[in-house]
Amino acid sequence: MADGSGRKKGPVRFLSGVQPSGRLHLGNYFGALRQHIALQDEGEAFYFIANYHAMTTVQERDALEGQTLDVALDYLALGLDPAKAVFFRQSDVPEVAELAWVLSAVTAKGLLDRATSYKDKVQRGIAASVGLYYYPMLMAADILIYRSHIVPVGEDQIQHIEMTRDMAQSFNNTYGVVFPLPKPRLDAGAKVPGIDGQKMSKSYNNAIEIFQEGKPLRKRVMSIVTDSTPLEEPKHPEGCNVFSLYKLFSTEAEQEELAEKYRAGGFGYGDAKIMLLEKINETFGPYREERRRLEGDPGYVESVLAEGGARARAEAQATIKSVREAAGLGKMPVPAGSPVSARQG
Ligand code: ADP
Ligand code: TRP
């Protein structure tokens, strides 16, 4: 793909990340993971577990490590193929932190001031750390360091990608073109509601987890908030949380069938919830076994991440080399203890 940057030719490159800030849920699946997995056959795919980003909320080492492994298991069980996609831990490529700094020098502070996710998160009680404020900077570096073209995400991330384009443009204008300008890609499930009707999120306590099952899953589905229309009366499918979730799993004909039942009356929200529960079990049931199998093989999962990290890092280092050259930062330093001749090479 010709894009005016240093990486002129080659297939389209997809990149995305998911934070290990809790168990992945239906919003993550329909907004992000489903398209990530589908796109691994459409071009070069780079997907990572955003553990640096998660440090803004997860500050306990065992939790961060464990949740990182959980996200890896979820992806692999759902069909991410490490032979097709480069799958890695964000922190295995420390060069992104360097690029974030370089970008920060050419980015107006007003741009970050306008980030709505920072304001939302602070309003919800997350500590207003410098890291939380700087978060979009690091995200831009994630995208640009792999010179990505397309970023498949949910709706809440669109603003961050627009900011990334602004930052890439500032860098290119200042130092010469190094970065292509990335575009977001949305799936049909770009904004999945939680059990309370707000955006489903790991941190709103309103999520239905992808890998929940049995009684806890049933309890969760049964607790989806609905209005108090009595069973016998007609109901409106539009705006009903159960119906919105059911739509994600069903064909148009199935949706129409359920909508008819709503409108006819004599059909309760409890009945609709059971239909949704069946869909969830049908869709994710087959992946549960695979996840359990992978859970018993942590060595394999670690080797996938290590290999992905090495491939991603090689790409990132090539970009950093161009960035350093363009900005007058000198060559990448060689590791301490290396022979001096290597420094001159
Ligand atoms: P969360 O808000 O639960 O912490 P993340 O911020 O880690 O989720 O999001 C990971 C990916 O999932 C992003 O691409 C994001 O846009 C997508 N996503 C998160 N919640 C939803 C949702 N409710 N509907 C659609 N996509 C979502
Ligand atoms: N900010 C994203 C989220 O909360 C995660 C993320 C970090 C990301 N870096 C990224 C997504 C780069 C896409 C591309 O969901």
Side-chain angles (χ1 to χ4, degrees), residues 15-17 19 48 50 53 135 139 142-143 151 153 157:
L15 169 123
S16 200
Q19 292 189 69
F48 65 94
H53 276 107
Y135 184 115
M139 177 160 165
D142 287 326
I143 296 169
V151 188
V153 284
Q157 298 300 318

Side-chain angles (χ1 to χ4, degrees), residues 258-332:
L258 182 59
E260 277 307 311
K261 289 190 204 259
Y262 268 65
R263 293 189 198 105
F267 176 82
Y269 290 121
D271 302 315
K273 288 175 182 176
I274 295 292
M275 289 175 68
L276 171 63
L277 180 63
E278 280 167 5
K279 281 287 184 198
I280 296 175
N281 280 325
E282 234 172 68
T283 306
F284 296 116
Y287 301 117
R288 291 175 188 151
E289 220 26 65
E290 178 61 5
R291 195 183 189 286
R292 273 191 276 273
R293 194 188 68 73
L294 288 163
E295 226 172 321
D297 196 356
Y300 167 74
V301 179
E302 185 50 43
S303 74
V304 166
L305 293 178
E307 199 176 307
R311 284 171 69 191
R313 193 165 189 205
E315 286 290 326
Q317 284 179 337
T319 306
I320 284 290
K321 188 165 178 273
S322 307
V323 166
R324 282 178 159 257
E325 242 163 54
L329 286 168
K331 290 198 167 110
M332 269 307 259

Side-chain angles (χ1 to χ4, degrees), residues 19-332:
Q19 292 189 69
S21 48
R23 299 304 297 264
L24 299 188
H25 53 72
L26 301 185
N28 297 137
Y29 181 74
F30 288 105
L33 270 76
R34 180 174 62 174
Q35 48 170 344
H36 296 173
I37 290 162
L39 292 169
Q40 63 188 355
D41 293 311
E42 306 291 321
E44 289 179 343
F46 281 65
Y47 302 128
F48 65 94
I49 308 171
N51 57 350
Y52 279 147
H53 276 107
M55 292 179 81
T56 56
T57 53
V58 185
Q59 300 187 331
E60 207 268 297
R61 69 160 321 283
D62 291 346
L64 189 61
E65 227 171 52
Q67 288 170 197
T68 301
L69 177 65
D70 273 329
V71 173
L73 289 169
D74 287 358
Y75 260 101
L76 292 169
L78 289 166
L80 180 126
D81 181 351
K84 293 178 181 166
V86 181
F87 184 47
F88 60 103
R89 256 183 306 249
Q90 185 181 29
S91 61
D92 283 353
V93 187
E95 285 80 4
V96 288
E98 178 179 354
L99 181 57
W101 173 258
V102 170
L103 293 171
S104 77
V106 293
T107 301
K109 178 173 169 288
L111 190 73
L112 289 192
D113 288 339
R114 288 192 290 278
T116 56
S117 86
Y118 173 79
K119 290 175 211 159
D120 291 349
K121 286 179 179 176
V122 171
Q123 218 165 28
R124 279 190 277 125
I126 296 176
S129 63
V130 174
L132 194 69
Y133 182 75
Y134 188 77
Y135 184 115
M137 224 54 254
L138 183 60
M139 177 160 165
D142 287 326
I143 296 169
L144 299 176
I145 207 161
Y146 305 106
R147 304 194 215 198
S148 321
H149 303 113
I150 309 278
V151 188
V153 284
E155 203 177 273
D156 58 328
Q157 298 300 318
I158 297 286
Q159 190 192 27
H160 291 150
I161 297 163
E162 283 164 359
M163 293 165 87
T164 302
R165 289 172 66 89
D166 285 348
M167 294 176 201
Q169 219 146 19
S170 293
F171 182 96
N172 288 348
N173 288 341
T174 309
Y175 294 116
V177 178
V178 171
F179 301 116
L181 304 186
K183 291 197 180 97
R185 181 184 193 278
L186 295 181
D187 202 343
K191 194 175 180 186
V192 175
I195 59 172
D196 58 357
Q198 303 293 307
K199 181 198 103 115
M200 187 178 287
S201 173
K202 296 180 208 110
S203 41
Y204 291 5
N205 192 24
N206 69 352
I208 299 176
E209 293 169 9
I210 301 173
F211 282 99
Q212 202 157 47
E213 57 186 309
K215 263 200 191 143
L217 173 63
R218 188 187 162 91
K219 207 169 149 212
R220 202 69 176 155
V221 171
M222 287 302 161
S223 65
I224 297 172
V225 175
T226 54
D227 62 30
S228 50
T229 315
L231 188 136
E232 56 284 357
E233 279 181 33
K235 299 174 179 61
H236 302 291
E238 306 79 24
C240 169
N241 296 327
V242 185
F243 191 79
S244 301
L245 290 169
Y246 183 81
K247 271 169 82 172
L248 297 165
F249 292 91
S250 50
T251 62
E252 270 185 38
E254 288 171 324
Q255 291 165 30
E256 198 35 51
E257 208 176 302
L258 182 59
E260 277 307 311
K261 289 190 204 259
Y262 268 65
R263 293 189 198 105
F267 176 82
Y269 290 121
D271 302 315
K273 288 175 182 176
I274 295 292
M275 289 175 68
L276 171 63
L277 180 63
E278 280 167 5
K279 281 287 184 198
I280 296 175
N281 280 325
E282 234 172 68
T283 306
F284 296 116
Y287 301 117
R288 291 175 188 151
E289 220 26 65
E290 178 61 5
R291 195 183 189 286
R292 273 191 276 273
R293 194 188 68 73
L294 288 163
E295 226 172 321
D297 196 356
Y300 167 74
V301 179
E302 185 50 43
S303 74
V304 166
L305 293 178
E307 199 176 307
R311 284 171 69 191
R313 193 165 189 205
E315 286 290 326
Q317 284 179 337
T319 306
I320 284 290
K321 188 165 178 273
S322 307
V323 166
R324 282 178 159 257
E325 242 163 54
L329 286 168
K331 290 198 167 110
M332 269 307 259

